[in-house]
Amino acid sequence: MTDHADTNSPSDPDELIAYLDGEVDAEVRRQIELRLAEDPELMQRMREHQQAWDLLDELPTENASTDFTETTLEMVAVAASREVEVRSRGTAQRRFAWGGMAAASLLIAGLVGYTFASRALQRSDEELLRDLPVIENLDALQQVEDVEFLFALENEGLFVEENNNDAS
Amino acid sequence: MLQVRDDSAAAFEELVTRYQSRLLAVLQHLVPRREQAEDLAQEVFLRVYRARKRYEPQAKFSTWLFTIAHNVARNARRSQARRHEINVAGADDDGGPPAIDQMALEASGLMPTRILDKAERAEVVRLAIDALSERQRMAMLLAKFEGMSYLEIGQAMDLSLQATKSLLSRARENLRLILAPYMDEGEPPGGGSTP
């Protein structure tokens, strides 16, 4: 880009053209018009600019043909159908991926559930095993009214022996 | 365009109908042949369709359209240059205009001393336009035929306001110099004073 030392001044060529294009503010426009009134050469140059600009109207303007419109729309329709195809293919792939993820999630959930359930069952069996001497002697134990007597029996090793017998 | 963004086929057809001639009017001065301009215009509409979801109504639609047109035309010229085809559309730099004598010969050979008729004037103007650089041409066509402001031209061509102003200034100065011999009708081209 050309740098102009006197940018925004009425003698700046860019500003003069911007004036013709109606792209200057009121103050710059006023300064340029003052200068044009005093400078016939500049006025002549600006007239030539305007004439050259007006000559562009001589360029032929051809409207687009019906064929052009039709082929353009057909081309875009083909692109649109391809887009839909790609999108639906992507949707099918996404559906497959979601299905796989759902199946994997179910599998993982099943495995986790089985693990927790088997651990809970195992814990329940252990508790039953531990309480087995009490369960076996429940009727007799219910006859005992004194808890200290039961502790005394335990200290005698009665229940331990039974547990050991059961364990073996 | 908002309806096009929402996948309305009728709206897209309306958009093509409304803008195709304006687009072609600009593109046919950026490439050497009319057929090539039509190909590029179709490419522009295709890109508009593909980019429809990204359209934001912040700028005028025409500014967005000609931004795409500018890029498409520039890419076409680059690929053309890579293929080393003969460039009949004019200079690629932002330099000065070609010799007026050469322009006159191209326009109509040994032109008689008389007022140029409309068809000949159109040919002279076409050659003058073609003599400008692609960027100068694009900026000038957008200003002239699309009535775009400097700001809008800058947006369409990805230029600052000052760069747009300088570009248009050089474009119009070159155009004036090229057309000066023809503006005083009746004077033989190349026979007058050299600018």
Side-chain angles (χ1 to χ4, degrees), chain B residues 39-195:
Chain B
D39 288 347
L40 293 186
Q42 288 182 330
E43 174 67 20
V44 170
F45 282 120
L46 192 61
R47 288 195 188 196
V48 166
Y49 177 77
R50 284 180 177 150
R52 68 193 183 287
K53 298 291 184 190
R54 296 195 296 275
Y55 174 72
E56 294 292 337
Q58 289 162 344
K60 280 163 63 180
F61 170 72
S62 57
T63 306
W64 191 60
L65 180 76
F66 284 101
T67 303
I68 295 173
H70 173 61
N71 291 335
V72 166
R74 188 180 54 192
N75 292 345
R77 287 180 67 85
R78 278 179 185 164
S79 64
Q80 198 173 1
R82 275 199 296 273
R83 290 198 302 270
H84 303 290
E85 287 183 0
I86 299 167
N87 183 359
V88 295
D92 275 328
D93 56 23
D94 281 355
I100 288 170
D101 291 350
Q102 185 191 339
M103 295 280 303
L105 285 171
E106 281 183 50
S108 59
L110 298 170
M111 214 178 276
T113 305
R114 61 178 169 76
I115 295 172
L116 298 171
D117 67 22
K118 188 171 174 59
E120 285 173 331
R121 272 209 305 250
E123 180 63 5
V124 168
V125 175
R126 190 187 67 77
L127 287 167
I129 292 275
D130 287 353
L132 301 177
S133 74
E134 184 200 336
R135 279 160 21 102
Q136 288 179 1
R137 210 179 315 156
M138 182 74 179
M140 211 170 64
L141 292 169
L142 291 178
K144 176 70 182 176
F145 296 115
E146 284 299 311
M148 283 189 181
S149 67
Y150 284 9
L151 186 66
E152 289 168 336
I153 293 169
Q155 285 171 347
M157 297 182 68
D158 197 20
L159 296 171
S160 69
L161 192 61
Q162 184 55 45
T164 306
K165 191 188 272 190
S166 297
L167 183 65
L168 275 163
S169 173
R170 289 197 304 278
R172 289 190 65 165
E173 177 63 9
N174 285 339
L175 188 73
R176 183 185 72 85
L177 293 173
I178 293 165
L179 290 175
Y182 308 99
M183 287 192 282
D184 186 11
E185 295 174 331
E187 186 177 303
S193 61
T194 307

Side-chain angles (χ1 to χ4, degrees), chain A residues 6 8-16 31-32 35 42 45:
Chain A
D6 52 353
N8 290 330
S9 82
S11 57
D12 175 13
D14 293 357
E15 288 298 325
L16 291 172
Q31 289 176 11
I32 288 174
R35 205 187 142 200
L42 182 63
R45 186 146 54 95

Side-chain angles (χ1 to χ4, degrees), chain A residues 65-123:
Chain A
S65 65
T66 315
D67 280 354
F68 173 81
T69 313
E70 284 173 4
T71 51
T72 302
L73 292 173
E74 279 170 13
M75 199 175 71
V76 173
V78 169
S81 65
R82 278 191 194 142
E83 193 181 272
V84 169
E85 193 182 319
V86 169
R87 207 186 300 160
S88 59
R89 202 182 304 151
T91 306
Q93 284 172 345
R94 273 196 301 277
R95 271 191 202 141
F96 182 76
W98 278 111
M101 283 169 66
S105 301
L106 278 174
L107 186 65
I108 290 167
L111 284 171
V112 170
Y114 173 78
T115 306
F116 276 107
S118 62
R119 279 190 189 168
L121 283 173
Q122 193 178 351
R123 201 176 303 133

Side-chain angles (χ1 to χ4, degrees), chain A residues 127-140:
Chain A
E127 284 173 2
L128 278 174
L129 195 61
R130 193 189 62 214
D131 296 338
L132 187 59
V134 178
I135 294 166
E136 283 177 345
N137 299 300
L138 188 63
D139 291 338

